[in-house]
Amino acid sequence: MELLGGVADSVVSFVVFLQDYAIPFLIAITVLVFVHEMGHYLVARWCGVRVEVFSVGFGREIWGRTDSRGTRWKLGWIPIGGYVKMFGEMFPPAGDRSAEPGPSAADERVSFHTKPLWRRAAIVFAGPFANFLFAAALMAGIFATIGELSTPSNITAVVEGSAAERAGLKPGDVIRRIDGTEIDRFEQVARIVRMSAGIRLEIEVERDGRLVALVAVPDEVRQEGAAGSQKIGRLGVSRSGGGVTVVRHDPGEAALRGIAETFRIVGEIFRAIGQMLSGARDASDLGGPLRIAQISGDVWQAGLLSMVAFVATLSINLGLINLFPIPLLDGGHLMFYAVEAVTGRPPGERVREYGYRMGIAMLLGLMVFVTWNDLLELRVVDFFVGLVT
């Protein structure tokens, strides 16, 4: 009976895992992959390229239909990722053509590789751009319907022995700038400090009607959360009292705020990457699909608004990663097009082949690294051991 009870508990745990984490993650990633590939598809059609396949997921087809233009729309059984297959995408560029008969004139007109360089680059760039645009639209929708939290940037308390006290910050100070960035909300302070553990910050405050320049180095602390532990910065200031408002913007202003928020998140990502390269931030903070699935489930349970905000942030990350100059990714193709624009001819077949091999190795290495981080931070091994013991 005890064994049966353990099996039943394991089954229940697995079902809860699927319902609370796996399904929300798959929904989020499927939406973002569709948006990304739709960017490629729409611009390819606009450029006169025939699209043969639009796939969300890889592997064997679960469902599919062919439209009147001959495009096969399908779902693959491996749900992570997708692709748009364009006619002539695999044809070698003109400089590499062999003496064998090529495609017909009609096929040449709708082939990817016969299009001018700028059109090919536009088609490739459209995928990441669609992710950025989608994120900005989601955040604009939040700002226009729910509103944006706005808390005054005045300090009401300073923690004894904290980085703020060492820097000379005092209750009553109003933070106006951090490293040249204008500050009008306390939420901005929290975001900057969180990303700046052990990093020197130039802070300008208003005190008794005059501006005072100070320097602070936020303390490094480890914050435990659903996605494991993470190093963050802590300044040691807080505020209390009134003044907290929720500002709902009109559609035009909301759109501008959505675009600005997208740029802000991109800047934070680059800043985090720079900190990792310089050694100021631990690379263990990099998360992979397991940690993303964990966060997806947590924000899903927190409510629809949290999920929408998370999907927007994830969309920005997906767009930015695809722009990295790694062969196989969109950024790698754009890198080859940049070489073609400068030299007047595409890179040779051997250069492309070695580039793609290197890209595969880099992506596999990165996947192994972030998955190992996930296993360590989320204690996934302990979870699966618990299912069978």
Side-chain angles (χ1 to χ4, degrees):
M1 294 296 293
E2 184 178 345
L3 177 60
L4 291 176
V7 172
D9 289 342
S10 297
V11 171
V12 170
S13 297
F14 184 69
V15 171
V16 170
F17 170 77
L18 287 178
Q19 175 181 309
D20 292 345
Y21 296 98
I23 292 177
F25 167 69
L26 291 178
I27 292 174
I29 202 69
T30 298
V31 169
L32 295 182
V33 168
F34 178 82
V35 168
H36 181 93
E37 302 304 336
M38 183 56 72
H40 290 311
Y41 172 83
L42 291 176
V43 177
R45 292 294 307 167
W46 177 74
C47 290
V49 175
R50 182 196 304 166
V51 178
E52 296 184 308
V53 179
F54 185 112
S55 178
V56 175
F58 296 106
R60 181 174 298 179
E61 180 180 305
I62 298 175
W63 170 91
R65 61 176 292 270
T66 303
D67 65 18
S68 59
R69 295 189 178 97
T71 301
R72 183 68 176 175
W73 300 76
K74 67 177 188 176
L75 293 175
W77 73 278
I78 302 177
I80 300 178
Y83 63 93
V84 168
K85 180 182 177 183
M86 289 168 277
F87 181 76
E89 188 174 6
M90 302 307 294
F91 290 168
D96 294 343
R97 295 275 173 91
S98 67
E100 298 178 3
S104 67
D107 286 342
E108 287 276 2
R109 285 195 296 271
V110 295
S111 173
F112 176 81
H113 270 305
T114 61
K115 300 302 178 184
L117 178 62
W118 72 269
R119 286 183 181 266
R120 284 180 275 141
I123 293 170
V124 171
F125 179 72
F129 181 74
N131 284 124
F132 296 137
L133 192 62
F134 182 64
L138 287 179
M139 289 184 287
I142 293 175
F143 296 153
T145 57
I146 306 299
E148 184 179 21
L149 188 65
S150 180
T151 305
S153 59
N154 61 302
I155 298 172
T156 58
V158 175
V159 177
E160 185 177 351
S162 65
E165 185 181 61
R166 295 193 298 272
L169 288 165
K170 298 179 180 180
D173 287 347
V174 181
I175 299 178
R176 295 302 187 192
R177 291 182 186 83
I178 299 180
D179 282 351
T181 300
E182 295 285 342
I183 301 296
D184 55 19
R185 298 183 297 123
F186 199 79
E187 290 78 15
Q188 294 172 282
V189 178
R191 289 169 179 167
I192 295 174
V193 170
R194 183 182 178 88
M195 297 286 295
S196 305
I199 297 176
R200 183 177 184 272
L201 296 177
E202 296 182 0
I203 302 177
E204 193 170 288
V205 301
E206 182 179 338
R207 179 184 298 168
D208 299 327
R210 59 189 180 90
L211 294 177
V212 178
L214 303 170
V215 175
V217 180
D219 294 321
E220 177 185 323
V221 298
R222 301 296 299 188
Q223 182 183 60
E224 295 292 334
S229 63
Q230 184 181 24
K231 184 179 77 173
I232 64 170
R234 180 170 294 170
L235 190 58
V237 298
S238 62
R239 73 169 309 282
S240 59
V244 181
T245 58
V246 176
V247 181
R248 186 179 298 174
H249 301 289
D250 62 70
E253 178 65 20
L256 293 176
R257 299 288 289 190
I259 294 171
E261 189 72 2
T262 299
F263 277 106
R264 183 192 67 77
I265 295 175
V266 169
E268 285 190 355
I269 294 172
F270 275 119
R271 185 172 183 175
I273 293 173
Q275 291 172 357
M276 289 180 186
L277 293 176
S278 66
R281 175 179 288 269
D282 195 337
S284 64
D285 288 341
L286 282 175
L290 296 178
R291 209 179 310 189
I292 295 173
Q294 178 79 17
I295 299 173
S296 300
D298 291 331
V299 298
W300 177 269
Q301 296 171 56
L304 180 60
L305 179 61
S306 298
M307 189 65 184
V308 171
F310 172 71
V311 169
T313 303
L314 192 59
S315 186
I316 294 171
N317 279 268
L318 178 61
L320 196 59
I321 289 173
N322 270 279
L323 285 177
F324 286 174
I326 300 175
L328 291 183
L329 297 180
D330 294 329
H333 291 288
L334 292 173
M335 178 178 64
F336 287 149
Y337 295 155
V339 172
E340 184 177 348
V342 172
T343 63
R345 57 181 299 176
E349 184 177 355
R350 178 165 294 187
V351 171
R352 297 197 306 273
E353 180 182 351
Y354 282 121
Y356 290 136
R357 289 180 180 179
M358 181 181 67
I360 291 174
M362 293 175 66
L363 292 177
L364 287 177
L366 179 61
M367 183 59 68
V368 170
F369 178 75
V370 297
T371 301
W372 179 249
N373 281 348
D374 291 350
L375 293 173
L376 293 178
E377 293 294 337
L378 302 179
R379 300 176 178 87
V380 176
V381 174
D382 294 341
F383 169 77
F384 281 107
V385 169
L387 290 179
V388 297
T389 59

